[in-house]
Amino acid sequence: MDILLQFFINALMLGAIYALAAVAYTLVYGILEMINFAFGELFMFGAFLVVSFMLPQVSLFGVMVPMPGLPFLLAAPLAIFIVAGMGYLIERCAYRPLRFAPRLAPLITAIAVSVALQNLAQSVWGAQELAYPSFFLLEAKPIQIGGAYISMVEIAVIVTAAVVMTALHFYVKKTRMGRAMRAAAQDVEAAALMGIPVNRVIAMAFIIGSGLAALAGIFYGAVYLFAHPHMGFMPGLKAMVAAVLGGIGNIRGAMLGGIVLGFAETFGAAYLPNGSAYRDAIAFGILILLLLFRPQGLLGTRLPNRLADRGAMAFKGSASAIDAGLARLSAFFAGRDLVRYASWGILAVVAVSVFFIFPSPYWARVFVFVLIYALLASGLNIVVGFAGLLDLGFVAFWAVGSYFTSILFVEVLAKGYGVDVSSVWWLFYVNLLLGGGLAALFGMMLGYPTLRLRGDYLAIMTLGFGEIIRLVATNWVDLTRGPMGIRGIPVPSLFGYKLGSPVQLYLLGLVLLALAVFLIALMVRSYLGRAWVAIREDEAAAEAMGINTARYKLYAYSAGGFFGGVTGVFFAHSQQYISPLSFTLFENILILMLIVLGGMGTLAGPIIGAAIWVVFLEVARDMPFIQQHPELRFMALGVLLVVLMIFRPQGLLGQKRQPLMMS
Amino acid sequence: MPDQATALPLDDKVLLDVKGVGRRFGGLVALANLDVAIRPGEALGLIGPNGAGKTTFFNIIAGAIPVSSGSIHLDGEQISGLSPDRIAGKGIARTFQNIRLFDEMSVLENVLIGRHRFFRASLFGLIFRTKKAHAEENLSKEVARQVLERVGLADKMAQPARSLSYGDQRRLEIARALALEPKLLLLDEPMAGMNPTEKADLSRLIVELNRSGMTILLIEHDMKAVMGISKRVIVLHHGEIIADGSPDAVRADRTVIDAYLGRRG
Amino acid sequence: MRKAFRYMTAAAALAAIASFTASAAGAAEEVKIGFTAALSGDFAAYGENMQRGLELAIGEINAKSDNGGITLAITTADDRGLPSDGVLIAQRFCSDETVDIVMGYSFSSVALAAATIINDCQLPVLASAVTSPDLAGVSPYFRRNVLTDAVQGELAGTYAAKVLGAKRIAALNQQDDYGIGGTDAFVAAAKAAGAEILSREAYVLGTKDFKTQLTSIKAQTPDLLWVGGFYTEAAKIAQQARQIGLDVQILGSDGLLSPKLIELGGASIDGTILYGMFDPSVAKPEVQAFVKAYKDKYGEEPNAWAALAYDAGYTLNEAAKLAAAKNGKVDRVGLNAAFAEIKAVPGVTGPTTFQENGNREGTVVYLQVKDGKFILAPKQLN
Ligand SMILES: Nc1ncnc2c1ncn2[C@@H]1O[C@H](COP(=O)(O)OP(=O)(O)OP(=O)(O)O)[C@@H](O)[C@H]1O
Ligand SMILES: [Mg+2]
């Protein structure tokens, strides 16, 4: 009984924090139908700012800076205020210019903002956890109820969450701004027509949402007594899950979703077999089940409105100086054909430099990675670039291919049956196909439940799938050797002749990439590719023209999955060692960003994006500044992506449109 | 219910048979218990004030939104409840009131999307570019070119759809729908935003299509155009059919005039 | 500046007298370290600790006037904790002829991925934080100055049962090679010594909430809680244990040995026992000097990662001096041979000697957190 009561208290506290952050997601989603991934980072900034204000001194950019040492009750509102301002600025600068862009644009931008903020925080506060300074709530003695304990902070979290959310409920119900918000959430277009200042309403939603995220982060930090640059990422995702769980766009639903998630996680971790290792998978598992059986969420009524017409949502923002400036910049970038010529230049330079890399195994190895990322990006590009489906679980296919061949070669053949793996060299080539095929099958499995979902739901769902696969790879130690990874994977060979040197691997990879691009081109330049692009451009119109969108989406997932799987097999054998560390969500985001960088929905874009980024990463290693602050590279990429999405959504090199017909 | 006009002789063939179709959006009754029978080869005009339910009626036929009640049959086969792509596959093509082209695709590629239902090549066929795969692609390209010729866009085939003028975009939507070789063509305000010459050209095209045997259901606010094209006009108001008959009869109908006047006033 | 120069020329002259061969090359022998670790991403902190420890050692060594003409240089590469980056960086260091040795590595998996490449180009490695048993004998060029998790865990298991007299043990381990390997050995040794293992659960590095596990553990009424993991999570475990009224002796692995443990854990961490190869309770003068120098330079106290990397720097210096004295120059093969020969190089983590398989000989000391400080635990394993 004591133990149940203690679980109950833990769950309620965790649920309250999720609920606060979930309300942030739901507020913004309700109006803009956009998932602001960056709330996770604003959550983190909330915690960092409070800690910084409360301490007598803090190391910022590696320099000790004196701080006011404010009491908690002053520091917290100040932090919330600042974070709310950040939220406003992010909306104003990064999201508003994209309000009428295709669905994917704001979503990708939000991810990029999130990456940039995370790495910015690491530059400012360092990579270490910062300890939460003690204050009155922490010093107070916990209350004992039977054998269970509840601390003052936990009481404060639960009470404050309840009060804030009740207040918000009344704000939305009773005030003018609140009513405007509700109207906008019903129908932005209609609200704009009725004279509701939509821009101000949206800004307000961001301000309130960011403040709530900051508050959640402050509490999260206070309960677990730390602040860290990456602390917001997982809770942010969970809060998003909670918002979807409750019915996205529905404030009471978000509260309920948060609490339900808190309970599911706590009790799941306690009572499921190996529950605590799979703890993070619980949230995503629930999400997938939910989206399968009740996509509108627990309290939600809103189903993805598939006839919603993007083009028609044309209310005008006020023509401020910023807007005019943005427009001018945009025109400047759009008008540069220079950049397109530069793209050929760069391709030529890369092609020529290839001849110089042969003497240097290092550069050959770098280019092996260019090829691996180019392969991955090309596969993901089928899903994201051509079919227009945001996929944040793509690394799972990569993992499936890698693990398939590694388990077969090392665990089964070499260890299980004592086979000399060099005698079955041909199996590598068979595995390229089998691994690809297996991943394609996974693609179908992943695709099936997502068919009914729209872009942003899809993104979270695929994200959940990817995380589950990674957690399985980490925790199913008997199959995958878990975090220890699988070692001793043989290098590819041909009739007993080893192809293990970097240059040989490079050439092998080049053949694979050429084949992949060729295959993708053949698929894209046919009715198959046309169907994908039609779905991307306008799903309802595609359907009206006789395209079975569900089926073609599945094809896209499995085609993308196939190339992910093939890459996985090549990756495992070229590296001779794999572990779950390679298949993280961040890698997935990175691959996605490379596609955007080079140009979505083109054949060359992913390759160019991969080449630029991998080579840049290596060249940047020599810069002393980067050696001291390696995270700046990722911050720069995040910022670059935001700028690209706004001014040059067609990618850095402005590729020509991909033809979609047989020639 | 003005059923005298819709009552058909028993042996007369019906292409599209709409029986008791209703559609509600929450409390709003967008369509109330409609009965419409469209005969093969007919050019039927559908008019009504804003918000009357015309586009909703199209969406229902095309399967974009499900019916709340009633059923729809095409050539005696029930199509209500099928997905939009299945319905398109059975030969119903539509255009949209607010143009919905595939902006980034070329004009020719847009039209080729209309040909989607005729493609049979397998993945194997596509990858090895078999004769069969080539043949069907070439055939469809040929049809697409002819259709574009017909709507007068042959010289703009390679341009991206978004670069077309408004009138050309409307024509491209029609071309895309024609490429589907539909039994029934649904046109939702195809002349909106066109200048008089464009309108006249388009009217001629629609009449021509109809003469060559295509059944057409046309929503249009331009009365003159509708009257010129259609021999039969249905008037929708608040989701109900308030008149159904020859253009002259409808024009003279008191309820119709009231509906339009009431709406304006 | 000028003074330093004078010392250096003097040192060169001395070396010339001492050895004819060493004079020419030895005078200006620069040994370049390729340092790699996770320096961005979730777990950048551990890599940063190592980088700081190593850079401190390099600074001190280069400031010496009588170092046999050896100076140390460093080039740094962030591996993001990714095996794939480990491969790239290994190749980079292999191809860069000026790199004489690779140091660092925050994760065993990254070192494992790099091992074959580094072996092929005969580049010696001296790692300082990777404890996977898989790395033992992985290559004749691979060495580490940290004990394997198996050795550590076994010692700790015996210590728990025999010295602390624990009868009922609950175990928590970080779900990676370090946590699993160490806890496997701990559990086996503790069982062999007569203790009962009530439960064993894994958590992923980066976990924040342990209340659920701790609530279950509380119901089992253990008399000892083993934590095989890092300080970041251990601090949270201790705090949350106190929050739910679980008052149990915590025994932790050497991943806990960091002043951050105390900073993050606050009062809750008091009483926790842990072991490590490095005793920051500043009993010995060289440790005291290290702690002071580190604090002066970085404004924080060093942890086990920093201490091991610091010692690795000095160990390298010894090997380099030996190689230079023998061959008149420092190259990869010579350096590798020298590593096998050096014995009992003094350091803040005790003397360093390498075994044939690249592991380090040594033992651990048991420490306890007391009033916000690490002190030598009252009971040691004889
Ligand atoms: N998806 C929907 N959800 C809710 N209400 C809808 C939806 N689609 C249409 N309606 C409502 O149904 C009614 C009929 O709309 P419909 O678009 O069919 O009118 P219409 O006759 O095409 O008008 P117009 O001449 O302006 O195009 C309107 O009141 C409209 O607001
Ligand atoms: Mg309409």
Side-chain angles (χ1 to χ4, degrees), chain B residues 54-55 97 188-189:
Chain B
K54 304 181 294 292
T55 300
Q97 180 172 356
D188 197 343
E189 301 193 20

Side-chain angles (χ1 to χ4, degrees), chain C:
Chain C
M1 196 63 208
R2 179 160 292 169
K3 205 165 169 187
F5 182 70
R6 220 167 46 218
Y7 279 131
M8 252 154 71
T9 36
L14 275 175
I17 295 160
S19 152
F20 181 67
T21 40
S23 62
E29 191 66 63
E30 186 187 81
V31 177
K32 192 151 168 201
I33 301 164
F35 175 81
T36 174
L39 296 169
S40 65
D42 290 15
F43 310 115
Y46 315 107
E48 206 174 88
N49 297 145
M50 285 197 282
Q51 188 180 13
R52 290 178 170 185
L54 182 59
E55 282 181 349
L56 181 65
I58 292 171
E60 290 177 6
I61 289 165
N62 287 345
K64 280 187 190 176
S65 52
D66 55 347
N67 201 37
I70 302 277
T71 53
L72 302 182
I74 186 168
T75 170
T76 301
D78 168 27
D79 64 31
R80 299 190 286 155
L82 288 182
S84 49
D85 273 37
V87 166
L88 261 185
I89 290 164
Q91 197 80 58
R92 176 188 169 89
F93 289 154
C94 276
S95 293
D96 184 347
E97 311 259 293
T98 65
V99 171
D100 301 296
I101 181 168
V102 177
M103 297 176 84
Y105 288 120
S106 12
F107 293 101
S108 293
S109 43
V110 180
L112 280 166
T116 31
I117 292 172
I118 284 176
N119 186 51
D120 288 348
C121 67
Q122 305 184 312
L123 180 59
V125 180
L126 178 51
S128 49
V130 288
T131 57
S132 165
D134 280 359
L135 281 166
V138 74
S139 148
Y141 295 90
F142 183 87
R143 287 180 185 80
R144 51 183 155 181
N145 71 347
V146 58
L147 294 181
T148 66
D149 41 39
V151 173
Q152 298 181 353
E154 191 184 334
L155 290 170
T158 315
Y159 176 82
K162 291 243 172 84
V163 181
L164 296 178
K167 292 273 172 297
R168 300 166 56 77
I169 299 176
L172 282 174
N173 72 270
Q174 186 169 304
Q175 184 74 318
D176 65 6
D177 42 10
Y178 172 74
I180 295 172
T183 304
D184 281 348
F186 171 87
V187 165
K191 267 190 188 156
E196 187 190 350
I197 304 297
L198 303 171
S199 66
R200 174 178 173 178
E201 281 202 72
Y203 62 85
V204 183
L205 180 59
T207 300
K208 312 296 179 212
D209 187 279
F210 294 93
K211 287 199 177 156
T212 307
Q213 283 150 309
L214 291 169
T215 305
S216 304
I217 286 170
K218 187 182 169 194
Q220 297 157 0
T221 61
D223 55 12
L224 185 113
L225 174 60
W226 159 258
V227 178
F230 290 174
Y231 60 86
T232 33
E233 286 68 34
K236 295 186 179 66
I237 289 170
Q239 278 165 334
Q240 292 169 32
R242 302 299 175 256
Q243 282 175 9
I244 63 160
L246 168 59
D247 205 5
V248 65
Q249 174 65 54
I250 295 175
L251 173 65
S253 60
D254 67 341
L256 270 64
L257 181 44
S258 167
K260 275 271 173 190
L261 176 77
I262 297 170
E263 190 189 323
L264 292 168
S268 309
I269 204 75
D270 224 48
T272 296
I273 297 177
L274 58 143
Y275 62 79
M277 303 176 65
F278 155 65
D279 169 14
S281 61
V282 290
K284 290 183 268 179
E286 64 265 32
V287 177
Q288 205 162 9
F290 163 63
V291 171
K292 184 177 178 319
Y294 193 93
K295 245 180 117 166
D296 288 349
K297 186 158 182 195
Y298 302 112
E300 62 174 26
E301 291 197 34
N303 61 13
W305 280 263
L308 284 166
Y310 177 82
D311 276 2
Y314 274 96
T315 308
L316 165 67
N317 191 39
E318 280 315 301
K321 281 198 284 193
L322 182 61
K326 270 201 159 175
N327 314 327
K329 62 178 175 113
V330 181
D331 60 11
R332 293 176 178 181
V333 176
L335 194 56
N336 193 52
F339 272 123
E341 283 175 41
I342 50 172
K343 292 241 159 16
V345 181
V348 296
T349 65
T352 301
T353 305
F354 295 109
Q355 298 169 346
E356 188 111 14
N357 62 7
N359 288 346
R360 176 182 174 181
E361 286 172 358
T363 187
V364 296
V365 289
Y366 294 88
L367 306 166
Q368 188 163 29
V369 180
K370 193 100 196 179
D371 303 325
K373 279 207 169 59
F374 288 110
I375 60 160
L376 211 58
K379 296 179 193 162
Q380 296 287 325
L381 187 61
N382 40 63

Side-chain angles (χ1 to χ4, degrees), chain A residues 305 307, chain B residues 23 25-26 28-31 48-57 59 65 97 188-189 219 221 236 263:
Chain A
N305 178 8
L307 279 176
Chain B
R23 172 70 210 191
F25 293 114
L28 176 83
V29 180
L31 292 178
N50 291 112
K54 304 181 294 292
T55 300
T56 305
F57 187 50
N59 283 339
I65 54 179
Q97 180 172 356
D188 197 343
E189 301 193 20
I219 299 178
H221 277 297
L236 218 51
R263 183 73 183 182

Side-chain angles (χ1 to χ4, degrees), chain A residues 463-483:
Chain A
L463 184 156
F465 179 80
E467 282 295 281
I468 289 176
I469 292 279
R470 189 176 62 81
L471 285 166
V472 168
T474 309
N475 291 317
W476 192 353
V477 178
D478 294 339
L479 181 72
T480 64
R481 296 199 74 236

Side-chain angles (χ1 to χ4, degrees), chain A residues 139-316:
Chain A
E139 279 148 17
K141 260 195 128 42
I143 294 175
Q144 192 171 353
I145 313 166
Y149 290 75
I150 181 163
S151 70
M152 279 332 239
V153 190
E154 290 172 317
I155 294 175
V157 171
I158 295 167
V159 171
T160 316
V163 169
V164 166
M165 286 189 284
T166 313
L168 187 71
H169 186 76
F170 281 105
Y171 175 78
V172 170
K173 272 260 148 66
K174 300 277 188 254
T175 65
R176 253 173 67 111
M177 192 45 140
R179 278 199 299 270
M181 251 176 209
R182 276 195 306 155
Q186 283 283 317
D187 187 340
V188 190
E189 191 189 349
L193 287 177
M194 307 211 320
I196 288 172
V198 172
N199 277 334
R200 270 185 40 213
V201 168
I202 290 172
M204 201 60 192
F206 269 90
I207 289 170
I208 296 179
S210 307
L212 287 172
L215 180 64
I218 290 169
F219 280 142
Y220 191 78
V223 169
Y224 301 114
L225 297 160
F226 78 112
H228 185 262
H230 299 266
M231 70 186 286
F233 195 61
M234 242 324 144
L237 293 181
K238 302 249 183 85
M240 192 153 75
V241 170
V244 176
L245 188 62
I248 195 144
N250 182 320
I251 293 177
R252 279 189 312 164
M255 301 177 200
L256 180 70
I259 303 286
V260 168
L261 194 58
F263 274 85
E265 230 184 88
T266 303
F267 283 89
Y271 292 110
L272 289 177
N274 207 3
S276 42
Y278 282 104
R279 171 175 197 134
D280 288 338
I282 293 172
F284 297 116
I286 291 180
L287 177 77
I288 291 176
L289 288 180
L290 177 89
L291 292 181
L292 266 178
F293 296 110
R294 201 181 154 75
Q296 70 271 43
L298 298 176
L299 296 188
T301 47
R302 186 191 302 199
L303 261 178
N305 178 8
R306 308 190 43 217
L307 279 176
D309 193 354
R310 270 172 283 171
M313 212 172 78
F315 55 92
K316 292 273 180 292

